[in-house]
């Protein structure tokens, strides 16, 4: 399994249900999806639409209750079954969540971000780690001096960028971002989005960008998938979906954004 | 909802389920105790043989091992133990050759009597102090009650008793020496000394016993009231803030009503503690019995330690914990009767 | 007793900043520190040897023997002071052992109980066993353990630790159940950490707080149980100056009106358990205050959590 091999992630009838009997809740209705190495997919939906569950299933944080996820023809279950192949999968696919507590409050950022370098990329020398961390910090406009701090000692935007750094140092083939900018101030949002977009383009990574805000998703990705109550209601290129929405929910969504941006414009 | 029997079962399921759990609890605990005392480092056989001052031969060691029921593989022992457990037989004491169950149960009532008197006294004292706490707005008084309640679970009961003895026996000479319940042999009917004395009409002995009980029970009341009081005060403080109370005051309900209602709502939190600290009461009673020269389970325990009486120790542990489990059961049932929210299965029904 | 060591307070008072909060924080430690100081300094401050006869027996309190002498002529003041040493020795050993053991077991239970398979079964089993052991009265468990292992310091330590290890087990388990929902464990997983490594590096350090704060309480309970067991006659061996044993051997004198052999050790138990109880309640209250202070010294400026 060399890195040169073409990377493909396929979802075949993947769905997720929680609970049993009367209390059963469907989080994601069975869906098919093919993710290529150069994907730029935005997933949009309100909270509870199953978009996060979908993203988490792709990295094995949740187990699908139906269907199979496969990477290069090999089921995810198998990838995660042995230590070596699990690390290999983590090298290929990385996931960044909305940061609230994604860092151990007792660790410094240096400790946290160097872990994937050591474990996934096998970098041993302290100098090599330092230089890679400095490089990624530079790319994400982070002050390398912040590496010596603990999570509560930096701002939310800085913490979110460290969370990105932790995944990006691995140099994955696919990056899955789950609501990474939702908790940030609007001013910081733009900066972080730009950083992600640039990095993904420069390193030829695939990107799946999950969010509930339309502007962020349309800015960063070329394809769009709209989810509602666990169901995919619309897919297509951003241009197609925005100009010719077919599903009433998508039309509603677009209309809401149009009116809110008008209001904002009016106020200014 | 077809048959009335099923409905009746549903309505009563909470206490039936809780009651059924008791034998299961006892069985599981007895099994845990069985393994616990066999997994402890150290060999009771060696300790027993060493304490006998006899020549140690392999035969004597084997004989002692067989006496203790420690011969054979652990699984054989377990099967044998389970068999005995179901027949209510936990082996014979090595010292007296009397069945351990008989020995423990002949002593348990007098210990329980002491505990119940102490518990009752503490409960009354707690109610009185709780009333003082609510009734009088004097901040000094309230702080004093609070301060007293902060002594919960700190002072060992026998230390309190020592000071009582010094004060009332040595200095004031008001009360008799701590040398047992009453002169002569107590009549045995139920095993509860006071009850037996009443049944047999031994009035002079009853008087002596009651006098002898003053200091130990007082010590228990002084020591254990704070445990209950912290809960009661916490409950009272919480309930005073409740809108129900404010509404009653605003509506001009009689004072007496408000107090009764207030206490009724605060008591469940006190009763919960009963179950939790029944165990420490048994522990405390053991030291009190030793101090005042009362015969009871503590005496049996200490004697079993001194003679390395393995079956007696094992049976002692199981029976004492069984009593604790029963006490917890009673407390649980009272609580569930008072407060339906505590009944098991209530969450499923309300969904 | 306490009149002889005012220095301890002074030493502790040289703390961070002399504000009201700090002084209150320091005072929380004073009673506990005093008990420990008496234990540590026992050889210096005890006037006589605690285990040899130094005068006639049963002397009432006098300027030579402040607390009098016991039935074999040993100095009760010296024995009472050395009693603190015995109590503190057991208290420290038991508190450390049961906290370490409790954290390890509690972490294991918290991490394994909801998983399926053998580990989950083991975790749930341990949790149940711990609940049942919690139902055994301390003194009763002490009697049985000492009875089976034979009377020795080791047996006593095992007995008291078995009684007191359950609290840190439960405290740590609850904390682990909270921590394991934290998303930094998922991040650790994605960074390639094994679950064992994550348990060691992330779960345990973030879950030990309650168990650590519970340590002084264990210390106090240990003193109480040790004295109770000594009092009923199954504690440490005879001439060792242990408070419970001293009280029980002074009982026969007490009945005859000689109060000093029993009362002074009883007062020592009373004062020390009250002191430890005060500290064990005050120290956790001071915890946030101390933490804030430590952070304020930290040269790196803090920013509020987003």
């Amino acid at each position: 399994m060399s890195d040169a091999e073409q990377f493909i992630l396929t979802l075949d009838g993947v769905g997720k249900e929680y609970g049993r009997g009367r209390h059963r809740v469907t989080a994601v209705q069975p869906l098919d999806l093919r993710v290529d190495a150069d994907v730029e997919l935005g997933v949009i939906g309100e909270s509870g639409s199953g978009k996060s569950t979908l993203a988490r299933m792709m990295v094995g944080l949740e187990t699908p209750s139906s269907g199979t996820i496969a990477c290069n023809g090999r089921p995810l279950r198998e990838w995660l079954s042995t230590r070596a192949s699990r690390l290999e999968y983590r090298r290929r696919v990385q996931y960044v969540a909305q940061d609230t507590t994604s860092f151990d409050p007792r660790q410094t950022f240096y400790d946290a971000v160097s872990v994937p370098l050591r474990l996934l990329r096998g970098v041993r020398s302290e100098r090599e780690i330092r230089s890679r961390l400095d490089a990624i910090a530079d790319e994400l406009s982070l002050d390398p001096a912040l590496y010596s701090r603990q999570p509560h000692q930096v701002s939310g935007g800085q913490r979110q960028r460290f969370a990105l750094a932790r995944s990006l140092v691995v140099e994955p083939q696919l990056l899955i971002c789950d609501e990474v900018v939702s908790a940030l101030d609007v001013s910081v949002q733009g900066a972080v989005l730009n950083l992600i977009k640039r990095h993904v383009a420069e390193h030829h990574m695939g990107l799946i960008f999950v969010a509930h805000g339309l502007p962020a998703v349309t800015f960063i990705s070329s394809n769009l998938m709209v989810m509602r109550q666990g169901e995919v209601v619309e897919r297509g290129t951003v241009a197609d979906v925005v100009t010719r929405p077919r599903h009433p929910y998508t039309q509603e969504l677009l209309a809401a954004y149009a009116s809110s941006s008008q209001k904002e414009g009016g106020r200014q | 909802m077809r048959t009335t029997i099923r409905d009746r079962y549903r309505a009563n399921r909470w206490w039936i389920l809780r009651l059924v759990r008791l034998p299961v609890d006892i069985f599981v605990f007895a099994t845990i105790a069985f393994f616990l005392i066999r997994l402890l480092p150290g060999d009771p056989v060696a300790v027993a043989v060493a304490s006998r001052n006899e020549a140690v031969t392999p035969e004597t060691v084997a004989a002692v091992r067989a006496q203790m029921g420690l011969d054979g593989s652990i699984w054989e022992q377990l099967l044998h133990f389970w068999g005995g457990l179901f027949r209510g037989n936990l082996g014979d004491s090595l010292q007296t050759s009397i069945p351990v169950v008989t020995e423990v149960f002949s002593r348990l009532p007098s210990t329980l009597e002491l505990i119940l008197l102490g518990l009752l006294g503490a409960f009354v004292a707690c109610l009185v102090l709780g009333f003082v706490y609510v009734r009088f707005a004097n901040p000094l008084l309230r702080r004093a009650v609070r301060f007293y309640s902060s002594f919960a679970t700190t002072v060992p009961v026998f230390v309190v008793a020592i000071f009582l003895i010094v004060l009332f026996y040595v200095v004031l000479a008001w009360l008799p020496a701590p040398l047992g319940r009453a002169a002569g042999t107590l009549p045995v009917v139920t095993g509860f000394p006071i009850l037996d004395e009443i049944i047999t009409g031994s009035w002079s002995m009853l008087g002596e016993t009651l006098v002898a009980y003053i200091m130990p029970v007082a010590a228990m009341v002084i020591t254990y009231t704070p445990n209950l009081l912290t809960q009661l005060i916490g409950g009272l403080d919480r309930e005073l803030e409740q809108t129900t109370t404010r509404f009653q005051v605003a509506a001009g309900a009689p004072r007496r009503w408000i107090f009764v209602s207030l206490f009724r709502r605060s008591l469940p939190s006190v009763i919960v503690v009963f179950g939790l600290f029944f165990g420490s009461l048994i522990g405390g009673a053991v030291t009190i019995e030793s101090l005042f020269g009362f015969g009871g389970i503590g005496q049996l325990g200490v004697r079993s330690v001194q003679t390395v009486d393995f079956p007696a120790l094992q049976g002692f542990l199981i029976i004492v914990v069984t009593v604790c489990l029963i006490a917890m059961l009673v407390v649980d049932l009272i609580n569930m009767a008072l407060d339906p929210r505590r009944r098991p299965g209530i969450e499923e029904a309300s969904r | 007793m306490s009149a002889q060591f005012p220095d301890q307070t002074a030493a502790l008072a040289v703390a961070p900043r002399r504000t009201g909060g700090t002084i209150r924080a320091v005072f929380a430690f004073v009673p506990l520190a005093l008990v420990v100081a008496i234990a540590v300094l026992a050889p210096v401050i005890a006037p006589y040897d605690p285990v040899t006869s130094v005068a006639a027996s049963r002397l009432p309190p006098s300027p030579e023997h402040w607390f009098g002498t016991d039935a074999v002529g040993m100095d009760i003041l010296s024995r009472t002071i050395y009693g603190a040493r015995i109590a503190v020795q057991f208290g420290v050993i038991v508190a450390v052992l049961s906290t370490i053991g409790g954290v390890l077991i509690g972490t294991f239970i918290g991490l394994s109980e909801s998983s399926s398979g053998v580990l989950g079964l083991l975790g749930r089993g341990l949790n149940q066993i711990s609940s049942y052991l919690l139902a055994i009265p301390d003194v009763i468990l002490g009697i049985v353990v000492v009875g089976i292992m034979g009377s020795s310091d080791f047996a006593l330590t095992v007995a008291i630790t078995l009684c007191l290890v359950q609290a840190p087990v439960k405290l740590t388990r609850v904390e682990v159940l909270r921590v394991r929902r934290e998303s930094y464990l998922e991040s650790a997983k994605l960074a390639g950490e094994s679950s064992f490594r994550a348990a060691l590096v992330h779960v345990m350090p973030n879950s030990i707080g309650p168990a650590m704060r519970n340590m002084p309480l264990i210390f106090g309970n240990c003193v109480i149980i040790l004295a109770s067991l000594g009092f009923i006659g199954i504690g440490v061996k005879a001439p060792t100056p242990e408070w419970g044993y001293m009280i029980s051997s002074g009982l026969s004198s007490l009945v005859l009106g000689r109060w000093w052999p029993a009362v002074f050790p009883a007062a020592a138990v009373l004062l020390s358990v009250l002191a430890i109880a005060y500290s064990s309640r005050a120290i956790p209250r001071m915890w946030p205050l101390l933490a804030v202070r430590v952070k304020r010294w930290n040269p790196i400026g803090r920013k509020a959590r987003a």
Side-chain angles (χ1 to χ4, degrees):
Chain A
M1 273 173 265
S2 66
D3 277 5
E5 193 183 345
Q6 189 59 44
F7 174 85
I8 305 169
L9 191 68
T10 50
L11 280 69
D12 192 5
V14 169
K16 176 75 182 175
E17 288 171 345
Y18 292 104
R20 256 180 231 152
R22 278 186 298 152
H23 309 300
R24 189 154 63 189
V25 178
T26 305
V28 177
Q29 286 183 8
L31 66 89
D32 297 339
L33 188 68
R34 186 191 150 95
V35 180
D36 293 312
D38 56 350
V39 70
E40 265 185 20
L41 177 66
V43 181
I44 189 167
E46 58 202 5
S47 43
S49 62
K51 56 190 194 307
S52 262
T53 311
L54 180 65
R56 291 165 58 83
M57 284 194 291
M58 289 188 211
V59 283
L61 291 176
E62 307 267 359
T63 335
S65 34
S66 62
T68 40
I69 301 176
C71 179
N72 289 13
R74 192 179 174 199
L76 183 55
R77 213 176 335 105
E78 262 177 49
W79 278 103
L80 299 177
S81 61
T82 69
R83 183 179 152 78
S85 68
R86 186 163 55 230
L87 295 186
E88 172 65 30
Y89 187 77
R90 301 269 178 250
R91 261 194 292 279
R92 294 180 177 204
V93 184
Q94 275 289 318
Y95 168 86
V96 190
Q98 173 180 335
D99 177 84
T100 43
T101 55
S102 78
F103 284 97
D104 185 335
R106 311 174 72 89
Q107 268 188 327
T108 63
F109 289 112
Y110 181 82
D111 292 335
V113 180
S114 62
V115 165
L117 264 187
R118 290 175 213 268
L119 295 178
L120 296 178
R121 284 291 163 198
V123 183
R124 291 275 169 268
S125 99
E126 207 63 32
R127 193 193 291 163
E128 172 77 13
I129 289 174
R130 189 77 239 187
S131 80
R132 291 224 202 171
L133 291 195
D134 285 352
I136 198 80
D138 185 49
E139 225 181 301
L140 296 175
S141 325
L142 278 167
D143 180 0
L146 295 177
Y147 274 121
S148 61
R149 297 206 181 170
Q150 289 181 329
H152 65 270
Q153 293 168 326
V154 303
S155 72
Q158 287 166 328
R159 214 157 47 226
Q160 188 67 65
R161 272 179 272 179
F162 274 117
L164 276 167
R166 179 167 54 186
S167 286
L168 292 179
V169 283
V170 182
E171 294 167 15
Q173 291 169 314
L174 174 66
L175 180 70
I176 302 175
C177 292
D178 186 2
E179 301 269 19
V180 287
V181 293
S182 311
L184 303 181
D185 291 342
V186 181
S187 55
V188 190
Q189 270 187 14
V192 172
L193 286 174
N194 272 318
L195 293 171
I196 297 174
K197 193 171 172 117
R198 203 177 66 215
H199 190 97
V200 166
E202 277 173 15
H203 292 80
H204 310 290
M205 286 179 190
L207 173 71
I208 295 179
F209 193 89
V210 178
H212 64 259
L214 194 66
V217 178
T218 50
F219 169 77
I220 206 158
S221 49
S222 52
N223 291 291
L224 199 56
M225 193 161 98
V226 182
M227 291 188 73
R228 190 190 184 206
Q229 291 172 358
E231 194 184 0
V232 177
V233 294
E234 186 124 14
R235 306 186 195 202
T237 64
V238 168
D240 271 354
V241 175
V242 171
T243 50
R244 286 184 297 277
R246 271 162 302 185
H247 195 275
Y249 175 68
T250 320
Q251 291 164 359
E252 232 173 83
L253 201 72
L254 288 168
Y257 271 100
S259 71
S260 75
S261 55
Q262 263 172 15
K263 263 186 213 155
E264 267 169 34
R267 245 183 268 137
Q268 284 160 6
Chain B
M1 298 279 175
R2 283 198 328 268
T3 57
T4 51
I5 292 177
R6 198 169 154 190
D7 286 349
R8 250 190 225 163
Y9 169 71
R10 281 208 170 169
N12 291 306
R13 198 172 59 161
W14 55 279
W15 63 264
I16 295 174
L17 283 179
R18 185 64 185 82
L19 218 57
V20 169
R21 229 183 70 196
L22 180 70
V24 178
D25 272 347
I26 294 173
F27 175 75
V28 174
F29 174 75
T31 310
I32 291 173
F34 172 89
F35 283 107
L36 175 74
I37 58 185
R38 279 166 180 75
L39 282 175
L40 285 174
D43 182 11
V45 179
V47 177
V49 171
S51 71
R52 285 189 184 182
N53 296 323
E54 287 169 14
V56 179
T57 63
E59 288 81 45
T60 49
V61 173
V64 171
R65 191 173 292 280
Q67 264 184 323
M68 289 184 174
L70 288 173
D71 50 340
S73 78
I74 194 155
W75 305 114
E76 286 166 27
Q77 290 177 37
L78 182 64
L79 280 181
H80 185 247
F81 172 78
W82 275 345
L85 193 64
F86 280 115
R87 281 178 278 118
N89 174 13
L90 292 171
D92 296 346
S93 160
L94 296 185
Q95 179 75 6
T96 57
S97 306
I98 300 171
V100 176
V101 178
T102 317
E103 270 212 274
V104 177
F105 275 115
S106 70
R107 289 156 194 269
L108 198 58
S110 63
T111 306
L112 281 182
E113 185 177 88
L114 200 60
I115 291 173
L116 290 177
L117 285 175
L119 206 54
L120 188 72
F123 188 57
V124 172
C126 157
L127 287 184
V128 169
L129 287 174
F131 179 74
V132 167
Y133 181 78
V134 187
R135 174 68 183 75
F136 302 101
N138 184 345
L140 210 67
L141 203 64
R142 296 187 70 159
R143 201 186 285 174
V145 173
R146 261 180 189 290
F147 181 67
Y148 176 51
S149 79
S150 75
F151 281 82
T153 66
T154 53
V155 183
V157 61
F158 69 92
V159 171
V160 176
I162 291 276
F163 287 108
L164 288 182
I165 292 174
V166 170
L167 183 62
F168 291 105
Y169 167 71
V170 178
V171 178
L172 297 172
W174 287 355
L175 292 169
L179 295 169
R181 286 192 171 83
T185 335
L186 292 174
V188 176
V189 184
T190 58
F192 292 92
I194 290 185
L195 204 60
D196 289 351
E197 281 156 359
I198 293 174
I199 291 172
T200 56
S202 324
W203 304 115
S204 66
M205 269 187 152
L206 177 66
E208 277 180 60
T209 307
L210 288 179
V211 172
Y213 268 169
I214 293 176
M215 280 198 286
V217 172
M220 292 179 92
V221 171
I222 293 172
T223 314
Y224 296 125
T225 303
N227 291 300
L228 305 179
L229 198 58
T230 31
Q231 296 299 318
L232 182 66
I233 288 182
L236 287 174
D237 279 344
R238 206 173 45 240
E239 294 298 336
L240 274 173
E241 296 299 310
Q242 292 281 313
T243 39
T244 324
T245 316
R246 287 162 182 241
F247 176 76
Q248 286 169 339
V249 175
R255 263 217 143 124
R256 209 151 29 114
W257 276 24
I258 298 176
F259 281 133
V260 169
S261 152
L262 207 68
F263 272 86
R264 202 186 53 75
R265 282 178 285 142
S266 313
L267 276 184
S269 55
V270 178
I271 294 169
V272 175
V273 205
F274 272 19
L276 290 176
F277 95 129
F278 193 82
S280 62
L281 274 170
I282 291 191
V286 167
T287 58
I288 283 287
E289 284 171 347
S290 161
L291 173 55
F292 285 91
F294 297 163
I297 55 161
Q299 204 187 31
L300 176 70
V302 174
R303 194 200 72 197
S304 309
V305 171
Q306 281 154 357
T307 57
V308 203
D309 195 338
F310 185 84
L313 286 168
Q314 178 176 287
F316 174 69
L317 177 64
I318 292 169
I319 294 172
V320 170
V321 174
T322 300
V323 172
C324 289
L325 291 175
I326 293 173
M328 286 180 196
L329 167 83
V330 172
V331 168
D332 267 7
L333 288 181
I334 294 176
N335 259 317
M336 288 192 280
L338 286 179
D339 186 352
R341 277 171 305 180
R342 291 178 190 273
R343 295 176 191 175
I346 206 74
E347 305 88 24
E348 295 137 55
S350 64
R351 252 183 217 167
Chain C
M1 282 187 293
S2 56
Q4 298 183 13
F5 330 99
D7 308 352
Q8 194 64 26
T9 22
L12 277 168
V14 192
R17 244 162 258 170
R18 291 178 181 276
T19 58
T22 314
I23 287 173
R24 257 174 43 227
V26 170
F27 264 102
F29 289 91
V30 169
L32 187 64
L34 263 176
V35 174
V36 175
I38 293 173
V40 172
L41 299 176
V44 184
I45 52 183
Y48 300 95
D49 187 88
V51 289
T52 44
S53 307
V54 290
S57 57
R58 304 190 182 92
L59 290 179
S62 65
E64 287 79 46
H65 302 281
W66 290 5
F67 288 3
T69 61
D70 67 6
V72 287
M74 296 194 274
D75 181 59
I76 292 175
L77 173 62
S78 307
R79 285 177 67 76
T80 308
I81 291 171
Y82 268 91
R85 207 177 171 82
I86 301 294
V88 168
Q89 267 172 14
F90 272 95
V92 168
I93 292 173
V94 168
V96 169
L97 278 184
S98 40
T99 303
I100 294 175
V103 165
L104 290 175
I105 299 171
T107 308
F108 176 76
I109 293 176
L111 286 177
S112 63
E113 70 176 331
S114 60
S115 65
S116 55
V118 184
L119 272 184
L121 222 61
L122 193 61
R124 285 191 294 275
L126 274 177
N127 190 31
Q128 279 301 311
I129 290 174
S130 164
S131 305
Y132 280 108
L133 292 187
L134 211 54
I136 310 178
D138 298 340
V139 175
I140 303 298
L141 187 59
I143 290 176
V144 173
V145 171
V146 172
I148 286 164
M149 293 176 60
S151 181
S152 66
D153 287 359
F154 178 57
L156 278 173
T157 311
V158 170
I160 304 175
T161 306
L162 263 179
C163 297
L164 298 178
V165 77
Q166 313 306 333
V169 166
K170 294 287 179 198
L171 286 172
T172 308
R173 173 182 162 260
V174 171
E175 201 63 9
V176 168
L177 291 182
R178 179 186 68 78
V179 168
R180 61 175 291 180
R181 287 200 305 268
E182 300 271 3
S183 54
Y184 52 78
L185 288 182
E186 288 184 348
S187 309
K189 204 166 155 186
L190 294 171
E193 292 186 31
S194 64
S195 29
F196 180 71
R197 189 195 142 111
L200 226 58
V201 177
H202 303 295
V203 179
M204 213 133 72
N206 282 299
S207 315
I208 53 173
M212 296 300 284
R213 271 164 288 186
N214 188 49
M215 257 172 104
L217 207 68
I218 295 185
F219 184 86
N221 282 336
C222 174
V223 172
I224 293 176
I225 299 174
L226 184 70
S228 303
L229 291 179
F231 180 74
I232 58 175
I234 58 164
V236 295
K237 290 246 166 61
T240 315
E242 194 276 315
W243 289 332
Y245 163 72
M246 287 168 71
I247 298 171
S248 75
S249 56
L251 275 185
S252 47
S253 303
L254 185 65
V255 174
L256 299 172
R258 285 191 295 270
W259 49 271
W260 56 92
V263 165
F264 287 115
V269 173
L270 187 71
L271 288 177
S272 59
V273 294
L274 287 180
I276 297 167
Y278 174 79
S279 285
S280 60
R281 268 174 216 162
I283 291 174
R285 270 210 300 276
M286 290 304 134
W287 213 262
L289 197 94
L290 292 174
V292 164
R293 238 145 252 283
V294 170
K295 270 178 198 159
R296 203 171 288 167
W297 290 347
N298 212 334
I300 303 161
R302 289 185 313 129
K303 286 183 181 163
R305 264 170 177 268

